[in-house]
Amino acid sequence: MTINKIMDKPGCWLGDGGPLSDIVISSRIRLARNVAGYPFLSRATHAQRRDLAAFLRERLESSSFRPDFTYIDVDQLDELGCQVLVERHLVSRQLVEAKGARGVSVSESQNTVVMVNEEDHLRMHVVRAGMQLDEIWAAIDKLDDSIETEVDYAFHPRYGYLTACPTNVGTGIRVSVMLHLPALKLTGEIERVLRAAKDMNLAVRGLFGEGTEATGDFFQVSNQVTLGRAEKEIVSEFRSTIVPRIVEYERMARQALLDEKSRALDDRIFRSYGTLRHARTISSEETLLHLSHIRLGVHIGRIKDVPVKVLNELFLETQPAHLQKAHGGKLTGEQRSAARADLIRRKLGCA
Amino acid sequence: MTINKIMDKPGCWLGDGGPLSDIVISSRIRLARNVAGYPFLSRATHAQRRDLAAFLRERLESSSFRPDFTYIDVDQLDELGCQVLVERHLVSRQLVEAKGARGVSVSESQNTVVMVNEEDHLRMHVVRAGMQLDEIWAAIDKLDDSIETEVDYAFHPRYGYLTACPTNVGTGIRVSVMLHLPALKLTGEIERVLRAAKDMNLAVRGLFGEGTEATGDFFQVSNQVTLGRAEKEIVSEFRSTIVPRIVEYERMARQALLDEKSRALDDRIFRSYGTLRHARTISSEETLLHLSHIRLGVHIGRIKDVPVKVLNELFLETQPAHLQKAHGGKLTGEQRSAARADLIRRKLGCA
C-alpha cells in the first residue's frame, strides 16, 4: 500500500458510527513490545537497529496471520509521505522524526498498525470508530499472540513485558479514547473534568497524542499505569467507568446549553458553518475549531445538511500534508490556506 | 409625520444611487442661523427658549414654502423616538440630549430638516444620496431665503451670520460628505488620507458626526472654516477637488487589492457575508463592519445577490432604536443582538 492508496481510504481515527459516537470519536489500544536478544533502541547501534528492522519486516511481511498488511519503510519515505502517516494517526511523530531503519506495517483497513523501531522495537495498535474497547482488546490480543509465535518477546517473570521507558513496563498497554467535548469546553466545566481525570491517573492529550495540545475541543484520554494491573482490568475500567462518566458530563453540558443558552450555542455553531462556507483562506487550527462546532451542531440536530461523513473527510483532508499530496506537490502556507478554504467550500457544496 | 411614519420611509443619509455612489454615501450642507432680538441659547432663560421655539414653530408650520414639512416637538418625544431621529441622521445627538423647548421640522422625503434650539436657534440641512453638492446648495439656499422672509436673522455687516460658537460665524455653512473607504482602511493608507484632509483644514468624523469615531469604514469629511469665504467657493472646492481626490485614492486602493490581494479581499468580504447570513446574535458595531465589507463586495462586483437597497435598509434598521421601534417596545442589549441577527438573516433571505 502506497501513501496515495492510504489517502484514498477514509482512515480510521476519526470514525463515523460505533457506540457513543456523538462524543467518542474513536477508541484505541496500543501495546509496546521488545524483541529478546536485541538492545533497547536508545542503546542500539545503527547496525543493530538495521538488523532488527530487517528481521521484523521479514516476519511481519511473511506472516500468514496478516495477509492484508503492507510494510512501509519510513526511512525511505519523503517528508510529505511521513506527514500523511502522522496526520492519519497511523504513526507517531516520534517515529517519523527518528533516524535510521524504521517502518510501519499497516492493515488494508488502516485500523491495525505495527510500528517498528519507534521508542520500542514494536508498537502495535488497533483503533475503531466510537467506543469499541472490548472488540479492540480481542483483536489486539490476537495480533499480539500471532506476532509472539514468530518473535521472541523480552519478558520478565516478575515485571512482565520489558519496555524502553519504565512507564510502559508490565503490560505495555495504553488504552485511549478520543473524545469530542465541545459543550464542556463552552461551559468551562472541562477544567474540572480534566482535573478529575488526572486524579484518576489518566493522561489527557491533544489530537496527536504525546506533547500536543487539545485543539478544537478534542481530547485524548489514556491510562498511565501499565504495571501491576491486568490488561482486561484497565480496559474494563475505561469501558464501564471512565468513558461513560465523561460522556454523561458532556451530554449534560450539551443539554444545559440547549436549555439555557440555545441562542448563544446556535450562534457559535452557525457562525462556524457560515465561516467555513464562505472563507477564501483559512488555517488548519481555525478549520478544526469550526469543524468541531459543526460536528456538535450535527449531533445535537441543529445542522441537518452536513453528513458526518463529509465532516470526517474534512478533518482528514484539510490537514497540511493531505492538502499537498492531493495537490501533487509542496505548497506554501498561504497556498495551503487558500487550497484548504476552496476544498471546504467544495465539500460543503458551496463552490 | 410621526416617528412611525418616519420609520416607514427609507431615509436619506444612506443613499442609493447618485453620482459616485460607490464611494460617496451622501452629501449634505448645513446652515446655522440665529434670530435677531433673542439671546444665544447658552444665555437664554427657559422662558426665552420656550418663546423662541413657539415663534419658530409657528413660522415653520405656517409657511407656504414648505407644505410637506412636519414639526416634531422633541421635548415631548420619548427616548426611543429621539433615538430614531438620531439614527436617521435627522437631528444631532446634541439636540435630543439638550433640555427645554426644542424641535425639528422634517420634510416628507426626510432630506430637508430644520432643527430649532440646538446650538443655534436654527440649524437647517439638506442631504442627498451620492455626490450632489451643487443641487443641495441650490436647495438649501432657497430654503434659507424662504425662512429669511419670515424671520429676522442675526447678521453683522462685517462678520456675517452670527452664531453661538465662533467657529460657525460668517457663512454658518458646513459642507460634508459621508464616504465609504474600506479599501483605504484595508491597505492602511487611510491614515495618510486623513492627515492630508486635516492639513486642508477639513474635519473627519464618524457616522454620527461630532464626537463620534469612524466605524465600519465610514468617514464624514467636512469643512471647518466658515468665515472669509463664500459658500459657493467652499461647495466648489468639495465638488472639484476634495471629493474627487479621495474618491480616486479609494478607487486606486480597491484596484490594488483586486490586482494583488484578491483572495485576501474576497476572504474579508465573504466571511462578513457568511457571518451575517448565519449569526444568531450580533452587536451593532460588528454588523456595521460586516455591512461595510459587503457593500464593498457589491460595488466591486464580487457579491451579486444582495441589492444595495437591502444593504441600506439594514444599515438603518439594525440600529438599536429602530430595532426596538419595530419590536414595539424596549429590548435589553441581549434581546437586541438576537433581534438584529434575526432581522439580518430574514432580509438576506436565509431565515
Side-chain angles (χ1 to χ4, degrees):
Chain A
M1 186 158 50
T2 64
I3 295 295
N4 291 340
K5 267 198 192 157
I6 284 178
M7 283 200 40
D8 289 342
K9 287 232 152 201
C12 232
W13 71 271
L14 251 174
D16 175 16
L20 307 181
S21 69
D22 56 329
I23 292 167
V24 184
I25 306 277
S26 57
S27 35
R28 180 178 180 274
I29 296 178
R30 171 275 268 171
L31 297 176
R33 298 287 184 257
N34 287 274
V35 183
Y38 284 86
F40 287 134
L41 292 163
S42 53
R43 294 175 159 266
T45 63
H46 279 291
Q48 286 171 318
R49 175 187 282 265
R50 199 178 49 233
D51 289 351
L52 180 60
F55 165 73
L56 288 173
R57 176 176 188 163
E58 189 267 323
R59 287 290 182 278
L60 290 167
E61 285 194 322
S62 67
S63 170
S64 57
F65 295 110
R66 296 171 298 282
D68 66 327
F69 276 57
T70 312
Y71 188 90
I72 299 169
D73 185 343
V74 174
D75 201 29
Q76 298 298 315
L77 203 58
D78 64 4
E79 198 193 322
L80 225 45
C82 287
Q83 280 182 40
V84 166
L85 293 180
V86 172
E87 290 177 359
R88 286 265 155 166
H89 291 218
L90 292 172
V91 308
S92 62
R93 283 190 183 162
Q94 288 84 331
L95 184 77
V96 304
E97 283 164 8
K99 300 255 175 257
R102 64 204 191 283
V104 64
S105 187
V106 182
S107 73
E108 183 74 27
S109 66
Q110 298 180 32
N111 67 11
T112 306
V113 171
V114 184
M115 285 191 284
V116 167
N117 286 357
E118 200 240 27
E119 185 178 291
D120 294 295
H121 300 164
L122 290 165
R123 286 262 175 124
M124 61 193 89
H125 79 243
V126 175
V127 62
R128 293 269 174 91
M131 177 62 186
Q132 300 196 53
L133 284 174
D134 285 335
E135 296 79 354
I136 292 171
W137 171 246
I140 201 160
D141 194 28
K142 205 174 137 195
L143 173 71
D144 186 36
D145 286 349
S146 79
I147 297 178
E148 203 166 13
T149 62
E150 303 159 306
V151 174
D152 198 10
Y153 284 157
F155 184 84
H156 185 279
R158 182 159 170 216
Y159 299 124
Y161 292 104
L162 299 177
T163 52
C165 177
T167 58
N168 290 312
V169 165
T171 53
I173 196 173
R174 176 163 289 161
V175 176
S176 63
V177 282
M178 183 73 79
L179 303 171
H180 184 222
L181 308 176
L184 287 170
K185 188 84 168 286
L186 282 172
T187 62
E189 289 167 275
I190 191 73
E191 291 306 325
R192 214 158 44 85
V193 172
L194 298 185
R195 267 201 308 279
K198 273 162 201 163
D199 291 345
M200 293 175 75
N201 276 316
L202 298 168
V204 180
R205 299 186 171 88
L207 265 184
F208 290 94
E210 215 141 343
T212 66
E213 291 274 320
T215 342
D217 317 330
F218 296 98
F219 299 86
Q220 197 186 103
V221 177
S222 59
N223 67 304
Q224 282 184 308
V225 176
T226 55
L227 186 65
R229 298 183 71 188
E231 292 91 337
K232 278 198 164 176
E233 205 183 312
I234 297 173
V235 171
S236 154
E237 191 186 17
F238 263 82
R239 184 179 37 73
S240 61
T241 310
I242 297 167
V243 174
R245 203 172 289 172
I246 302 180
V247 164
E248 194 193 337
Y249 283 135
E250 171 67 15
R251 291 231 171 105
M252 279 165 56
R254 289 182 184 187
Q255 196 55 52
L257 286 173
L258 278 169
D259 291 346
E260 295 151 31
K261 293 186 175 170
S262 68
R263 185 171 284 266
L265 180 65
D266 270 1
D267 189 57
R268 195 72 72 109
I269 292 168
F270 285 102
R271 277 177 181 250
S272 283
Y273 181 70
T275 299
L276 288 191
R277 288 176 66 92
H278 291 95
R280 261 51 177 180
T281 171
I282 192 164
S283 71
S284 39
E285 292 71 28
E286 193 191 345
T287 302
L288 208 53
L289 187 78
H290 295 314
L291 286 175
S292 167
H293 292 154
I294 295 176
R295 190 180 195 278
L296 174 63
V298 169
H299 280 295
I300 62 172
R302 305 299 291 137
I303 290 184
K304 299 187 199 294
D305 61 348
V306 181
V308 176
K309 184 174 170 291
V310 169
L311 279 184
N312 287 338
E313 287 167 9
L314 281 174
F315 274 109
L316 275 181
E317 296 169 12
T318 57
Q319 297 180 100
H322 276 75
L323 277 176
Q324 293 175 89
K325 266 284 170 192
H327 168 75
K330 280 252 178 198
L331 293 169
T332 64
E334 198 179 336
Q335 290 170 328
R336 286 202 301 276
S337 294
R340 184 176 294 115
D342 292 347
L343 172 71
I344 294 169
R345 291 202 317 289
R346 208 159 53 234
K347 295 203 71 136
L348 292 180
C350 34
Chain B
M1 186 159 47
T2 65
I3 295 296
N4 291 340
K5 266 197 195 158
I6 284 178
M7 283 199 40
D8 289 342
K9 286 232 156 199
C12 232
W13 71 271
L14 251 173
D16 175 15
L20 307 182
S21 70
D22 56 330
I23 292 167
V24 184
I25 306 277
S26 56
S27 36
R28 180 178 179 272
I29 297 178
R30 172 276 267 170
L31 297 177
R33 298 288 183 258
N34 287 272
V35 182
Y38 284 87
F40 286 135
L41 290 163
S42 55
R43 294 177 160 266
T45 64
H46 278 291
Q48 286 171 319
R49 175 187 281 267
R50 200 178 49 232
D51 288 352
L52 179 61
F55 165 73
L56 288 172
R57 176 178 187 160
E58 189 267 322
R59 287 289 182 279
L60 291 168
E61 285 193 322
S62 67
S63 169
S64 57
F65 294 110
R66 297 172 298 280
D68 65 328
F69 275 57
T70 312
Y71 188 90
I72 299 169
D73 185 343
V74 174
D75 200 29
Q76 298 297 313
L77 203 58
D78 64 4
E79 199 192 323
L80 225 46
C82 286
Q83 280 181 41
V84 167
L85 292 181
V86 172
E87 289 177 0
R88 286 268 155 165
H89 290 218
L90 292 172
V91 307
S92 62
R93 283 191 184 161
Q94 288 85 328
L95 183 77
V96 305
E97 283 164 10
K99 300 255 175 260
R102 65 205 189 282
V104 63
S105 187
V106 182
S107 73
E108 184 75 25
S109 66
Q110 298 180 32
N111 68 11
T112 307
V113 171
V114 184
M115 286 192 284
V116 168
N117 287 358
E118 201 240 28
E119 185 178 293
D120 294 295
H121 299 163
L122 289 167
R123 287 264 177 123
M124 62 193 89
H125 79 243
V126 174
V127 63
R128 293 269 174 93
M131 179 62 188
Q132 300 196 53
L133 283 173
D134 286 336
E135 296 79 353
I136 292 171
W137 171 246
I140 200 160
D141 194 28
K142 204 173 138 197
L143 172 72
D144 186 37
D145 286 349
S146 79
I147 296 178
E148 203 167 11
T149 61
E150 303 160 305
V151 173
D152 199 9
Y153 284 155
F155 184 84
H156 184 280
R158 180 154 172 223
Y159 298 125
Y161 292 104
L162 299 177
T163 52
C165 177
T167 58
N168 290 311
V169 164
T171 54
I173 196 172
R174 174 163 289 161
V175 176
S176 63
V177 282
M178 182 75 77
L179 302 171
H180 185 221
L181 308 175
L184 287 170
K185 188 85 169 284
L186 282 172
T187 61
E189 289 167 274
I190 190 74
E191 291 307 325
R192 213 159 44 86
V193 172
L194 297 186
R195 266 201 310 279
K198 273 162 201 163
D199 289 346
M200 292 175 76
N201 274 318
L202 298 169
V204 180
R205 300 188 170 88
L207 266 184
F208 291 94
E210 214 142 343
T212 67
E213 291 275 320
T215 340
D217 318 329
F218 295 98
F219 299 85
Q220 198 185 104
V221 176
S222 59
N223 68 305
Q224 283 184 308
V225 177
T226 56
L227 186 64
R229 297 183 71 189
E231 292 91 336
K232 278 197 166 178
E233 205 183 310
I234 297 172
V235 170
S236 153
E237 191 185 20
F238 263 80
R239 184 179 38 71
S240 60
T241 311
I242 297 167
V243 173
R245 202 172 290 174
I246 302 180
V247 164
E248 194 193 338
Y249 283 135
E250 169 67 15
R251 291 230 171 105
M252 279 164 58
R254 290 182 185 188
Q255 196 55 51
L257 286 172
L258 277 169
D259 291 346
E260 294 151 31
K261 294 187 174 169
S262 69
R263 186 171 283 266
L265 181 66
D266 271 0
D267 189 57
R268 194 72 71 108
I269 291 168
F270 284 103
R271 278 177 181 249
S272 284
Y273 182 69
T275 299
L276 289 191
R277 287 177 66 91
H278 291 96
R280 261 52 177 179
T281 171
I282 193 164
S283 71
S284 39
E285 292 72 28
E286 193 190 344
T287 301
L288 208 52
L289 188 76
H290 295 314
L291 285 176
S292 166
H293 293 155
I294 296 175
R295 189 179 197 279
L296 174 63
V298 169
H299 279 295
I300 62 172
R302 305 298 292 136
I303 290 184
K304 298 186 198 294
D305 61 347
V306 181
V308 177
K309 183 175 169 291
V310 168
L311 278 184
N312 287 338
E313 287 167 9
L314 281 174
F315 274 108
L316 274 183
E317 295 169 12
T318 56
Q319 297 180 100
H322 276 75
L323 276 176
Q324 294 175 85
K325 266 284 171 193
H327 168 74
K330 279 253 177 197
L331 293 170
T332 66
E334 199 179 333
Q335 291 169 328
R336 286 203 300 275
S337 294
R340 183 177 295 116
D342 292 347
L343 171 71
I344 293 169
R345 292 203 314 290
R346 209 159 51 234
K347 294 204 73 138
L348 292 179
C350 36

